[in-house]
Amino acid sequence: GCTLVGAVDKLAHAPAMGGLKGQATFESWVNFTPTWVALMHRFRHVVFTFWVMVSLLGVYHAETVVSSITSDLATIPGRWQPAYMRDSLQAADALKHKFPSLAGEKAIIRVRRVDGEFVLSDKTHAFCKSLDASVASFLPEGLLLGVDSIYNYWKPTWVSNKPPQFVKELFLTEGDSAMLVVIYLNYSYPEHLDHVVTGVGDMVTNAQLELAGPVAYSVFLGGDLTMRQDMLIAVQSDAAFVHTLTLPIATALLALYFRSLRIMLIPLLTITLSLSASLLITYGASRLLPLHYLVPVLLLCVTLATSVDYCLFFLARLKDEMQKPDGPDKPTYHQAVLASTANGGYAIMTSGIGLAIGFLGLCLFPIDAVVSTGISSAASIVATVAINLTIIPCVLASYPDFWSSAWTAPPPSLSRYEQLSDFAPPKAARAVSKAARPVVPLYCSSCGAPHGGSKFCTNCGAKLPPLTNGVAAAADA
């Protein structure tokens, strides 16, 4: 058979490649393609090991990525900002400097009296005391910074049994039938999200026992704590939606186009590696910048779309090369791999570079969430380009006997749609079976009259056998 080196020499002087030399960058890539494919074949074990390690690290850090999401639209110091954003940040910095415990996220508890009467009573006072004691004994220390309630600013033993109006406006809602209690959270608590959510929920449940009695109260836990947990669940749900719906549809469309179960192993491999690599990139971005909750889902969608497109660019050209009809211009398998790498690889590079530059433009915005989106998306696109330009040539060049029969050359009489081997349409199957039929006589066996192409003899009415393609052509002649 033809060796890879021999295929390189033939491709370099092939007439079909002469018309590809136009732009200098494309000509350089075409000339470098044989060397690139040879390198991928030589270092195939290194390439496979590297991308498998990247994928395993991405899967390993996936849970950390999900737990580090935030809804905070933080900004980068020193960057240009609109006046309203500048004033807001200055106010937030002043609050953090003056009241460090108030600047973090909060868990907000609403206690409502069901009958709509004035909510404050000895039972609500006991409820807040129970929360104070639970927060003070919560471990590890420093995750919960304290409880803030109306009883921190007003005591029922004062002259009036009802608080002043300015205090009521801070903590009482719904016509004074409900009160708000705030638990302040440390910035580092997202690393212990499940532990904090469970602990605060148990605190509220235990404190709710103090409200037992003839008067009914309803208690609701909300605020940043539950919102962060809801965002985490929403991100996991969106990611599951991408994987369980979008990915099967994309895979089915690729299978419909390629019509080869064997060749479909390559898109499944590259898509899996690309998604895993994007998780690792997102993990790295979350170590540098706040990871907004929209970034992981957007990144999965961008990675899936580019991975499917780039694999299609590559394998579509390979399919065209391998399905060329027999003749002097029909390339060998190795020449088909080199041609698809030269053409599909160049399209992948130019498309990936353009998309990456476009996403890097988001880094000009002063908001961390937008910057992290731009950096993560650009890096994931570059990783997807690298995976398709290394894995696909490596796989195709390393196992030629397995892939060379994925598509076979079609019979010349079949249309382009019928030039498929693994899933031959009924029309193609009928054409092949008709071509294989034995030749039948051109004359009626009863009276010797010419066949005429009909089902019955026009002279004696005897039933005639059907004509094959070759016989029908001869009859017409």
Side-chain angles (χ1 to χ4, degrees):
C2 181
T3 63
L4 185 61
V5 177
V8 167
D9 295 335
K10 291 182 180 180
L11 180 65
H13 301 88
M17 298 296 292
L20 299 178
K21 298 182 179 180
Q23 301 177 355
T25 54
F26 182 64
E27 181 179 355
S28 300
W29 170 248
V30 171
N31 294 332
F32 180 69
T33 295
T35 304
W36 177 257
V37 175
L39 288 174
M40 292 298 102
H41 174 67
R42 181 178 180 181
F43 298 103
R44 57 189 181 276
H45 298 101
V46 177
V47 173
F48 289 147
T49 303
F50 174 77
W51 287 119
V52 168
M53 291 298 296
V54 169
S55 300
L56 293 177
L57 288 174
V59 174
Y60 176 77
H61 291 294
E63 185 177 355
T64 306
V65 169
V66 176
S67 63
S68 61
I69 61 174
T70 178
S71 60
D72 185 20
L73 294 176
T75 57
I76 300 174
R79 299 287 295 274
W80 175 87
Q81 299 163 353
Y84 70 88
M85 184 180 293
R86 208 164 39 244
D87 296 341
S88 176
L89 289 176
Q90 291 176 355
D93 291 339
L95 174 64
K96 182 178 180 180
H97 179 74
K98 187 70 175 178
F99 306 100
S101 63
L102 304 181
E105 296 185 352
K106 308 166 184 67
I108 301 176
I109 305 164
R110 187 194 69 173
V111 180
R112 179 177 174 273
R113 184 161 169 167
V114 177
D115 59 8
E117 297 295 328
F118 189 68
V119 65
L120 298 181
S121 65
D122 293 339
K123 293 185 177 298
T124 57
H125 195 186
F127 177 88
C128 294
K129 286 183 177 181
S130 176
L131 285 180
D132 282 330
S134 299
V135 169
S137 60
F138 186 77
L139 296 176
E141 296 182 359
L143 290 182
L144 305 183
L145 303 179
V147 179
D148 197 14
S149 69
I150 193 171
Y151 296 104
N152 294 359
Y153 306 90
W154 170 78
K155 303 295 182 183
T157 56
W158 288 3
V159 177
S160 173
N161 285 332
K162 290 190 177 182
Q165 183 62 29
F166 74 92
V167 177
K168 289 169 52 177
E169 291 176 354
L170 294 176
F171 294 96
L172 300 187
T173 62
E174 302 181 31
D176 298 343
S177 64
M179 75 170 184
L180 302 178
V181 182
V182 180
I183 299 178
Y184 295 105
L185 310 171
N186 191 302
Y187 277 111
S188 64
Y189 89 91
E191 300 178 3
H192 311 274
L193 178 61
D194 294 335
H195 175 62
V196 174
V197 171
T198 303
V200 173
D202 293 340
M203 293 177 191
V204 174
T205 301
N206 293 333
Q208 196 170 356
L209 298 176
E210 302 293 340
L211 300 176
V215 178
Y217 291 87
S218 63
V219 180
F220 175 80
L221 175 62
D224 297 319
L225 179 66
T226 55
M227 184 174 67
R228 182 180 288 274
Q229 187 184 41
D230 291 341
M231 287 191 302
L232 188 149
I233 296 173
V235 169
Q236 293 176 336
S237 176
D238 292 342
F241 175 79
V242 171
H243 291 148
T244 58
L245 181 62
T246 310
L247 184 57
I249 292 177
T251 305
L253 291 177
L254 286 176
L256 185 63
Y257 175 76
F258 291 132
R259 299 297 181 104
S260 173
L261 290 177
R262 187 178 307 177
I263 211 70
M264 278 303 299
L265 296 175
I266 296 179
L268 293 177
L269 176 62
T270 56
I271 291 172
T272 302
L273 293 177
S274 299
L275 292 176
S276 302
S278 70
L279 290 175
L280 183 61
I281 292 171
T282 308
Y283 170 76
S286 66
R287 301 297 93 184
L288 302 175
L289 294 169
L291 186 64
H292 196 260
Y293 67 91
L294 293 177
V295 174
V297 178
L298 175 63
L299 201 59
L300 286 177
C301 294
V302 170
T303 304
L304 178 60
T306 53
S307 181
V308 171
D309 283 348
Y310 296 161
C311 190
L312 181 62
F313 292 165
F314 203 112
L315 297 180
R317 182 54 188 257
L318 179 66
K319 178 183 176 182
D320 291 340
E321 294 292 329
M322 293 181 63
Q323 288 191 327
K324 287 183 177 179
D326 294 334
D329 294 333
K330 180 177 177 60
T332 64
Y333 169 77
H334 293 289
Q335 289 176 332
V337 171
L338 292 174
S340 59
T341 305
N343 292 273
Y346 186 77
I348 291 171
M349 283 191 296
T350 53
S351 174
I353 291 173
L355 280 176
I357 293 175
F359 275 106
L360 285 177
L362 297 177
C363 298
L364 301 176
F365 289 84
I367 301 176
D368 282 353
V370 181
V371 174
S372 63
T373 301
I375 293 177
S376 302
S377 300
S380 296
I381 291 172
V382 172
T384 302
V385 171
I387 288 172
N388 283 272
L389 288 182
T390 55
I391 288 294
I392 299 180
C394 188
V395 169
L396 293 177
S398 301
Y399 307 99
D401 295 336
F402 181 78
W403 304 110
S404 59
S405 58
W407 294 295
T408 56
S413 60
L414 300 183
S415 66
R416 181 175 180 81
Y417 176 74
E418 296 164 337
Q419 295 175 6
L420 309 167
S421 58
D422 288 4
F423 294 91
K427 184 178 179 181
R430 290 197 300 270
V432 173
S433 62
K434 288 174 66 176
R437 290 177 185 173
V439 177
V440 298
L442 294 177
Y443 300 94
C444 177
S445 59
S446 299
C447 65
H451 194 292
S454 61
K455 294 183 178 180
F456 300 94
C457 179
T458 56
N459 185 37
C460 65
K463 187 175 181 179
L464 300 175
L467 295 176
T468 62
N469 294 337
V471 176
D476 294 337

